[in-house]
Amino acid sequence: MSKTEQNAESQIYNGDVRQRRALWNALQELHADGVSDQTIVDTLESYREEGRVPNLARHKALLVSRATVHRVRTTDDETLNGFRRATLEVLYNFLRNCSDLPTSLYNDAVRIHSIHRLAPVSEAIQRHLGVGNGPLNNEFLTNLVGTFHLYRKAWTSIDEPTYIRCVMRFDVVGDAVFYTEEQRFTDAINGLEIDEVDHGVVLPFGMNVVLLGAGAKKHVMKFFSIDEMNPYPDSGFPVQQFSGNFIAVYSKGPHPGFGAFARRVDPEEASCAFYPPGELQDDLMSSIARASRRA
């Protein structure tokens, strides 16, 4: 087993004696470096608020006190074995992912420190496919965070000039950005009612942004390549609109790609819609057409 595989295997606490001893050793290192138990607790709470500790959501009501850290640090092996598993898990996963208090337990090979359930997907893709080595990085992608109306061709009536408006939300959880797309509309051409929600990862790739997601209830995989953003994410300002290409893989296929255009909106005003022929504004149709030509 490679070092990378070993790191991935031990990234999350499983309760074995080696991990308990590794946690104890890490606390000894911090104490020897003059880091107080209260500093550890304060940093843990900061990481908790930022969503940077894997599996912490399972123990979100568990607060680790200074006295608890002190007891874990000063205990013997026999007593350590009797500690509540959840307490040791929180501390282990925190120090395993804490760059602000680096110890022998910290794994600096990990790119994504996040409690989001899709964080391992983002981590694996960025590690093994060379994602994130271009001009854009995960930090820049936080300028996408917010709510957008996404316009594209209606896949429910593919042979008609119909369009749909979806609601796409971007959220930062820990070190990465994730997206949710909602489609809730009735196709007036054929009466088909759609109620779908997709979740996925947001990845920097060169000067582009890639979204890779899957349906929450339907067996569908989705792929977005975003190549136009205004302003560009590295400007330090929130992205107001973007466009690119979209493809969904569902059933047998074929799986055509469509251009898509999105505008930032007030979250309270976000809603889905279906546009029969001739009802979508000309400027939006032009923006979708431009994205389609680039595709």
Side-chain angles (χ1 to χ4, degrees):
M1 181 182 296
S2 69
K3 187 176 186 297
T4 298
E5 292 171 327
Q6 290 174 336
N7 282 338
E9 183 182 69
S10 60
Q11 183 65 21
I12 301 298
Y13 186 77
N14 59 33
D16 68 33
V17 64
R18 291 173 301 176
Q19 290 185 332
R20 293 196 300 270
R21 173 54 63 173
L23 169 60
W24 187 88
N25 286 335
L27 293 176
Q28 303 308 309
E29 294 170 25
L30 292 174
H31 183 69
D33 288 340
V35 178
S36 70
D37 297 333
Q38 187 60 54
T39 297
I40 296 173
V41 170
D42 293 342
T43 308
L44 168 57
E45 289 309 304
S46 174
Y47 270 54
R48 180 200 299 271
E49 291 176 2
E50 296 172 2
R52 300 178 64 188
V53 184
N55 280 10
L56 190 55
R58 297 197 298 122
H59 309 299
K60 59 184 179 182
L62 176 63
L63 297 178
V64 178
S65 66
R66 181 203 60 77
T68 299
V69 174
H70 177 79
R71 286 198 301 272
V72 175
R73 177 173 59 79
T74 58
T75 191
D76 54 36
D77 280 343
E78 183 176 352
T79 307
L80 184 63
N81 292 340
F83 259 88
R84 183 182 178 188
R85 177 189 168 114
T87 299
L88 300 183
E89 180 176 3
V90 168
L91 283 171
Y92 180 95
N93 291 344
F94 161 60
L95 290 178
R96 187 76 171 137
N97 290 273
C98 183
S99 59
D100 293 300
L101 300 176
T103 66
S104 57
L105 189 56
Y106 173 59
N107 183 3
D108 60 2
V110 174
R111 300 188 183 195
I112 305 302
H113 305 277
S114 172
I115 64 172
H116 196 283
R117 65 180 182 83
L118 293 178
V121 177
S122 184
E123 167 71 25
I125 293 174
Q126 296 198 42
R127 176 188 299 279
H128 296 294
L129 298 185
V131 173
N133 294 329
L136 290 182
N137 57 33
N138 289 305
E139 183 178 357
F140 288 144
L141 296 193
T142 60
N143 287 316
L144 278 167
V145 170
T147 304
F148 292 80
H149 275 159
L150 179 76
Y151 301 87
R152 65 173 184 268
K153 176 72 184 72
W155 54 272
T156 49
S157 46
I158 197 69
D159 295 325
E160 302 291 336
T162 55
Y163 295 87
I164 56 176
R165 183 179 73 209
C166 311
V167 176
M168 181 167 282
R169 296 182 174 89
F170 295 91
D171 297 290
V172 60
V173 182
D175 294 340
V177 177
F178 303 87
Y179 84 90
T180 300
E181 183 196 13
E182 298 178 7
Q183 296 184 69
R184 293 187 171 93
F185 63 88
T186 299
D187 187 321
I189 300 298
N190 54 30
L192 188 62
E193 295 185 5
I194 302 299
D195 186 352
E196 297 182 6
V197 178
D198 309 314
H199 304 279
V201 297
V202 182
L203 308 166
F205 193 79
M207 298 181 68
N208 311 283
V209 175
V210 172
L211 314 184
L212 183 63
K217 297 181 179 179
K218 179 183 287 187
H219 191 59
V220 57
M221 180 173 289
K222 295 191 174 180
F223 175 88
F224 287 85
S225 60
I226 300 173
D227 54 66
E228 288 286 341
M229 291 162 278
N230 185 27
Y232 198 66
D234 68 352
S235 68
F237 297 98
V239 174
Q240 297 300 314
Q241 60 187 44
F242 64 82
S243 61
N245 191 40
F246 159 83
I247 187 171
V249 178
Y250 175 68
S251 189
K252 183 179 180 298
H255 310 294
F258 301 102
F261 173 77
R263 285 177 175 169
R264 183 179 291 273
V265 295
D266 186 322
E268 299 298 322
E269 299 176 358
S271 64
C272 302
F274 174 83
Y275 296 92
E279 291 197 6
L280 185 65
Q281 300 96 306
D282 290 342
D283 64 323
L284 291 174
M285 291 184 63
S286 296
S287 296
I288 295 172
R290 284 195 297 273
S292 299
R293 287 195 295 271
R294 292 200 307 274

